[in-house]
Amino acid sequence: GAGVSQSPSNKVTEKGKDVELRCDPISGHTALYWYRQSLGQGLEFLIYFQGNSAPDKSGLPSDRFSAERTGGSVSTLTIQRTQQEDSAVYLCASSSGGVGEGSWEQYFGPGTRLTVT
Amino acid sequence: AQSVSQHNHHVILSEAASLELGCNYSYGGTVNLFWYVQYPGQHLQLLLKYFSGDPLVKGIKGFEAEFIKSKFSFNLRKPSVQWSDTAEYFCAVNARGNTPLVFGKGTRLSVIA
């Protein structure tokens, strides 16, 4: 089936504007992760959703960042009042979310490259 | 907290040379271990994974990695690299189950003819 998809692929925004990034996980995957890839910090975890449980927000860098997952499928990452240091590639991954080892593998989307000017 | 250390920032090899990329992790419990690869202009792809069992795991494209628990290491190897292996390689670890990954800083591999 289709892999993880993300939109837009590129986003250029002015400092101070809000942006929304979208992730469509693999159909049937209950676990969804957001990561950020930047030159200075490498790949960092942001937030994790598993089924109907409360999300693990421990990686969010500030309260300007939030995410939601509607209907257990599509997720939107929102960054309010963007800053230049938010420029990065935002990656989404999903896994099937079951209890067995075969369900733990994370599949990554192509990412959204965010540039804050 | 978990952390992952990749020893080499940039490795340059000639075609047919052997490759070994180092990865050490710090974590107090049982872990899953992964190597991901990112080819130029492409997204992250899983190269290989270790969950349990045989500590020598084989992945795609002739890559393998060995988990040495006593050394907290999961080094990536390939006997003979090709130009098409030019990419960035990331070692990652997470706690058992569906949990967030912690990545190393990555190693850029350049293979020259």
Side-chain angles (χ1 to χ4, degrees):
Chain A
V4 177
S5 61
Q6 294 185 245
S7 60
S9 55
N10 282 285
K11 176 74 176 178
V12 180
T13 190
E14 291 180 353
K15 177 182 171 181
K17 301 282 190 184
D18 297 352
V19 295
E20 287 188 350
L21 313 178
R22 177 187 168 107
C23 171
D24 276 278
I26 292 172
S27 177
H29 280 192
T30 62
L32 186 148
Y33 309 79
W34 283 97
Y35 297 89
R36 177 168 72 173
Q37 186 174 21
S38 59
L39 279 176
Q41 301 299 321
L43 274 154
E44 309 171 276
F45 161 70
L46 297 176
I47 187 168
Y48 158 52
F49 297 88
Q50 168 63 303
N52 295 321
S53 302
D56 175 357
K57 303 179 183 180
S58 61
L60 294 178
S62 78
D63 58 8
R64 296 186 295 105
F65 288 73
S66 62
E68 62 177 22
R69 189 176 185 193
T70 53
S73 181
V74 171
S75 177
T76 303
L77 177 70
T78 301
I79 309 173
Q80 295 179 310
R81 304 181 303 282
T82 52
Q83 304 293 314
Q84 287 186 328
E85 61 263 27
D86 299 334
S87 295
V89 177
Y90 289 81
L91 297 171
C92 178
S94 71
S95 64
S96 61
V99 297
E101 291 178 351
S103 62
W104 299 343
E105 181 177 331
Q106 295 182 29
Y107 297 83
F108 281 80
T112 294
R113 181 175 297 278
L114 175 67
T115 303
V116 181
T117 61
Chain B
Q2 299 172 6
S3 66
V4 177
S5 175
Q6 291 184 240
H7 310 308
N8 309 99
H9 178 63
H10 188 192
V11 172
I12 303 172
L13 294 173
S14 298
E15 278 194 310
S18 63
L19 169 72
E20 180 159 3
L21 301 182
C23 172
N24 285 89
Y25 69 93
S26 172
Y27 182 64
T30 307
V31 297
N32 303 320
L33 294 155
F34 306 86
W35 276 96
Y36 282 86
V37 61
Q38 191 168 32
Y39 297 103
Q42 296 188 28
H43 60 275
L44 277 171
Q45 301 172 40
L46 184 67
L47 205 50
L48 48 76
K49 61 197 175 196
Y50 173 81
F51 293 136
S52 63
D54 188 345
L56 184 62
V57 292
K58 295 189 184 299
I60 60 172
K61 304 186 180 185
F63 286 90
E64 65 178 32
E66 184 175 12
F67 170 47
I68 303 179
K69 189 174 181 180
S70 61
K71 295 184 178 181
F72 297 90
S73 70
F74 190 57
N75 292 354
L76 180 70
R77 299 194 293 250
K78 185 172 184 178
S80 175
V81 295
Q82 301 173 313
W83 178 81
S84 58
D85 293 324
T86 294
E88 187 143 19
Y89 293 80
F90 295 92
C91 182
V93 62
N94 66 356
R96 299 276 287 171
N98 292 283
T99 58
L101 291 165
V102 175
F103 286 89
K105 294 290 189 187
T107 297
R108 185 156 64 100
L109 172 65
S110 299
V111 180
I112 55 177

